[in-house]
Amino acid sequence: AVFLHFILVFTERKKWLANKGTYLLLYFPALLITLLFFTTKIVPVAEPWGYSFDMPQAHWFIVANRFWGMSVGLLALFLCLKYCLYVRPAERRKKQQAKFVTLATAFLVLLGGATQTLQPFLSFKYPELVITSMTFSLGLIGYAIWRYELFVVSPATVAKDVIATMTDALLLLQKDGNIISVNKAALKMLGFNERELAGLPAARLFAEAEAFNDNLLPALLRDEAISRDMTCRTKEGRKV
């Protein structure tokens, strides 16, 4: 549950995190499983590779616990893969962060979760690799935190949050006039999504495209500040 909570934060699922029901679905099953675990008789079982445990009076509980854990892991992996595809190649640091966290999640789910979940349905026993895979996955995430400053608050991240919450429309452009990023206010006004605008020439968004290319773009190349009222075109072609 804690790992999935981390993934929700990392993949910027703000709507899910703002919903109180998300926390109920995350932590209530985990709390119930923990209570049942400590109130059920556990029998240590010696295996060739070490000690495991069994619950003869509650075999159903083991199956349900492992099914729930695998479901949580698969959801976390799905969110990571989707986020990895969502991040633009231009955002190199965020792209690398997404790759490492996705790799860590895949390793935990496919190696640790699979070995634990499938065991009750097989006729032979084998070592469960949950602890091993968790250690390796946390190491990968730790490397992403150290190498690519995951969750580190910097002037750039603060500026990005400020831009995202601005009520006025804002476009961030490269010197060639192509769009780097657009805030939510601009997306709402123009009717596009962020992926549709990334890398697009900004001139296409203005009704006076020639004025943009003749006046604003040269000023951008010279790093000059310029103020001018411009009319934009929405995705449907409406002028705003």
Side-chain angles (χ1 to χ4, degrees):
V2 174
F3 187 79
L4 180 56
H5 193 168
F6 162 77
I7 295 299
L8 290 175
V9 174
F10 173 72
T11 56
E12 302 175 4
R13 295 284 170 172
K14 296 179 181 179
K15 290 184 178 180
W16 291 23
L17 293 169
N19 190 336
K20 294 181 180 179
T22 300
Y23 300 96
L24 181 64
L25 292 174
L26 268 178
Y27 290 105
F28 179 74
L31 179 61
L32 182 61
I33 288 172
T34 302
L35 291 174
L36 288 172
F37 185 85
F38 285 108
T39 56
T40 304
K41 184 179 179 181
I42 300 174
V43 178
V45 179
E47 304 288 0
W49 53 84
Y51 277 92
S52 183
F53 68 90
D54 193 11
M55 296 180 177
Q57 298 177 349
H59 185 70
W60 61 269
F61 168 68
I62 296 178
V63 175
N65 176 30
R66 291 176 176 178
F67 176 78
W68 180 80
M70 192 63 179
S71 300
V72 168
L74 288 173
L75 177 58
L77 181 58
F78 171 76
L79 292 175
C80 285
L81 289 171
K82 190 173 181 180
Y83 183 73
C84 209
L85 294 174
Y86 170 78
V87 177
R88 300 190 304 273
E91 299 179 287
R92 183 181 177 277
R93 178 174 295 177
K94 184 180 286 189
K95 194 74 173 179
Q96 290 299 108
Q97 293 171 354
K99 287 180 180 178
F100 274 98
V101 174
T102 301
L103 179 62
T105 305
F107 194 87
L108 176 61
V109 173
L110 300 180
L111 184 61
T115 57
Q116 187 182 53
T117 304
L118 295 176
Q119 192 177 81
F121 304 100
L122 300 176
S123 58
F124 60 92
K125 290 189 175 182
Y126 51 82
E128 295 178 4
L129 300 175
V130 176
I131 302 300
T132 303
S133 59
M134 176 65 79
T135 303
F136 181 79
S137 297
L138 291 177
L140 281 177
I141 293 173
Y143 177 78
I145 292 174
W146 169 74
R147 181 67 176 81
Y148 298 104
E149 299 182 346
L150 180 60
F151 297 134
V152 174
V153 178
S154 65
T157 57
V158 172
K160 185 176 180 180
D161 289 339
V162 171
I163 290 171
T165 56
M166 287 177 59
T167 56
D168 294 327
L170 180 69
L171 308 178
L172 296 181
L173 309 179
Q174 294 176 329
K175 288 192 174 183
D176 59 4
N178 291 340
I179 297 172
I180 299 174
S181 182
V182 185
N183 71 347
K184 292 182 179 179
L187 295 175
K188 184 176 180 180
M189 180 183 74
L190 299 173
F192 290 91
N193 63 54
E194 192 171 359
R195 299 195 71 160
E196 291 174 321
L197 294 180
L200 189 74
R204 295 187 186 181
L205 299 180
F206 296 100
E208 309 98 327
E210 292 183 2
F212 175 84
N213 289 326
D214 294 340
N215 299 312
L216 295 184
L217 190 55
L220 182 65
L221 292 172
R222 296 191 299 268
D223 292 326
E224 293 181 2
I226 185 170
S227 177
R228 176 168 178 169
D229 292 331
M230 300 284 288
T231 302
C232 296
R233 289 187 183 276
T234 67
K235 188 175 181 178
E236 294 77 22
R238 182 171 50 87
K239 293 182 179 182
V240 291

